[in-house]
């Protein structure tokens, strides 16, 4: 399928899938990921070398349900009405499409790791648009496969697996399930209370997050206050990665990001020193 990246809008499919028959008539049965996405792997390798160990390089992919939504909606949607119509009107065909996306996604992530990615994140950006029941049918089985097969196939090739992160925006109800399917880290959006997340996941995974990206539009004082509160709520556990609760907004002032990072380092040192003392 043709996909365009439109400024200010993100991914756009000019000719989205309309009916289940499109799966067979418009999508190729076999795709050589290493040939089709060779430029991505080359870019990863070049970037890894240029970074020269200064910071880790993170690879990523959209999760199957999220990618399927874009393929049917044609882009972002407030209701996902077209994609959801597929799920409820054509459940078996939807599962077949989700599986095709999953198979390609597994190959793509393995290729990213081989090219130099040191950590992988899977983004189920539209996970929260599904009910808990539907999430267990149309999302969870496929993101579970990704974690399992990426790690097992790398081991078969004697390649050390890298840490894997899952981010299911809005899927607070799935935290317990997500902590048991093979991912090393769960990234949290800003609607999840850290105490609740820690209680549900029971230390089985590293938690990542979860400041509302819009806070970066606030004053420096408010940013510092929010960062401190977030770090105090997550505590000084080794199983925690500071992050936003979603992607950074394009209107964010880089100076505010600097304040965020500086505060993370300052408050983090304070909290850890208090533990030591």
């Amino acid at each position: 399928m043709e996909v365009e990246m439109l400024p200010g809008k993100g991914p756009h499919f000019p000719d989205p899938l309309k009916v289940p028959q499109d799966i067979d008539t418009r999508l190729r049965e076999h795709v050589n990921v290493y040939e089709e996405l060779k430029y991505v792997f080359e870019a990863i390798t070049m970037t890894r070398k240029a970074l020269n160990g200064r910071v880790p390089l993170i690879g990523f992919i959209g999760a199957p349900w999220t990618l399927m939504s874009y393929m049917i909606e044609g882009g972002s949607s407030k209701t996902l009405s077209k994609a959801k119509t597929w799920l409820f009107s054509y459940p078996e065909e939807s599962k077949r499409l989700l599986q095709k996306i999953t198979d390609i996604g597994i190959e793509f992530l393995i290729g990213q790791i081989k090219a130099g990615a040191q950590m992988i994140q899977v983004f189920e950006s539209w996970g929260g648009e599904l009910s808990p029941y539907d999430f267990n049918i149309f999302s969870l089985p496929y993101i579970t496969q990704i974690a399992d097969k990426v790690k097992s196939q790398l081991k078969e090739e004697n390649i050390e697996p890298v840490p894997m992160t899952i981010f299911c925006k809005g899927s607070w109800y799935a935290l317990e399930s997500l902590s048991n399917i093979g991912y090393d880290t769960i990234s949290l959006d800003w609607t999840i209370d850290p105490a609740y997340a820690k209680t549900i996941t029971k230390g089985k995974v590293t938690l990542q997050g979860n400041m509302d990206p819009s806070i970066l539009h606030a004053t420096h004082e408010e940013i510092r206050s929010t960062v401190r509160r977030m770090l105090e709520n997550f505590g000084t556990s080794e199983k925690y990665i500071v992050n936003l609760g979603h992607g950074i907004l394009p209107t964010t002032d880089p100076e505010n990001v600097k304040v965020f990072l500086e505060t993370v380092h300052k408050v983090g040192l304070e909290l850890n020193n208090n533990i030591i003392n």
Side-chain angles (χ1 to χ4, degrees):
M1 298 180 68
E2 180 185 0
V3 60
E4 303 169 340
M5 293 300 292
L6 301 181
K9 292 186 178 181
H12 173 68
F13 289 81
D15 188 17
L17 301 178
K18 296 179 177 64
V19 292
Q21 290 79 0
D22 288 343
I23 299 174
D24 295 314
T25 59
R26 295 187 50 203
L27 303 182
R28 280 181 282 167
E29 183 65 28
H30 302 288
V31 178
N32 185 331
V33 174
Y34 290 93
E35 187 61 38
E36 296 289 341
L37 296 172
K38 182 180 179 182
Y39 66 96
V40 177
F41 303 135
E42 290 177 344
I44 289 173
T45 301
M46 290 171 63
T47 304
R48 174 74 184 274
K49 290 179 178 177
L51 287 173
N52 196 29
R54 287 175 293 174
V55 293
L57 180 61
I58 303 175
F60 74 97
I61 191 174
W65 157 241
T66 293
L67 293 178
M68 173 181 166
S69 299
Y70 278 109
M71 294 165 71
I72 294 170
E73 298 286 346
S76 296
S77 166
K78 291 184 178 180
T79 62
L80 298 183
S81 58
K82 295 176 184 176
K84 284 188 172 184
T85 296
W86 271 56
L87 297 185
F88 305 136
S89 299
Y90 319 113
E92 295 309 312
E93 291 89 343
S94 294
K95 291 175 186 176
R96 190 158 70 91
L97 178 56
L98 287 165
Q99 188 60 56
K100 289 173 74 72
I101 298 170
T102 300
D103 293 340
I104 291 293
I106 290 166
E107 283 192 67
F108 186 34
L109 288 179
I110 290 173
Q112 289 188 42
I113 294 166
K114 288 180 177 179
Q118 296 161 283
M119 188 174 188
I120 292 296
Q121 182 156 330
V122 179
F123 287 83
E124 189 68 289
S125 301
W126 303 124
E129 298 301 317
L130 298 174
S131 70
Y133 177 83
D134 295 319
F135 183 88
N136 287 337
I137 296 174
F138 298 112
S139 176
L140 189 63
Y142 304 99
I143 58 179
T144 300
Q145 281 186 55
I146 290 173
D148 178 58
K149 292 185 178 179
V150 166
K151 291 185 175 183
S152 63
Q153 289 184 32
L154 287 171
K155 287 180 179 177
E156 287 176 8
E157 297 183 44
N158 293 316
I159 299 173
E160 186 69 26
V162 303
M164 296 184 68
T165 299
I166 181 68
F167 175 61
C168 296
K169 185 175 183 292
S171 304
W172 58 269
Y173 51 77
L175 276 181
E176 184 174 6
S177 297
L178 295 174
S179 65
N180 290 298
I181 58 174
Y183 288 91
D184 306 279
T185 302
I186 296 177
S187 194
L188 308 173
D189 66 54
W190 65 91
T191 66
I192 300 177
D193 182 79
Y196 171 79
K198 290 196 290 185
T199 299
I200 296 298
T201 57
K202 300 175 182 177
K204 289 180 284 188
V205 293
T206 294
L207 296 176
Q208 174 175 283
N210 67 335
M211 194 177 88
D212 186 335
S214 295
I215 297 293
L216 292 178
H217 288 131
T219 63
H220 290 182
E221 181 180 352
E222 182 63 29
I223 293 170
R224 293 187 184 103
S225 173
T226 304
V227 169
R228 178 175 289 277
R229 184 171 66 251
M230 176 178 70
L231 293 183
E232 289 175 346
N233 287 339
F234 276 104
T236 54
S237 167
E238 292 181 0
K239 289 192 169 184
Y240 173 54
I241 299 172
V242 178
N243 207 333
L244 301 177
H246 199 230
I248 193 167
L249 300 171
T251 50
T252 301
D253 183 349
E255 192 62 31
N256 288 1
V257 180
K258 182 180 179 182
V259 171
F260 168 79
L261 294 172
E262 288 175 345
T263 307
V264 167
H265 287 292
K266 180 177 182 292
V267 176
L269 284 172
E270 285 179 16
L271 292 176
N272 281 292
N273 286 336
N274 288 339
I275 293 294
I276 294 172
N277 295 332

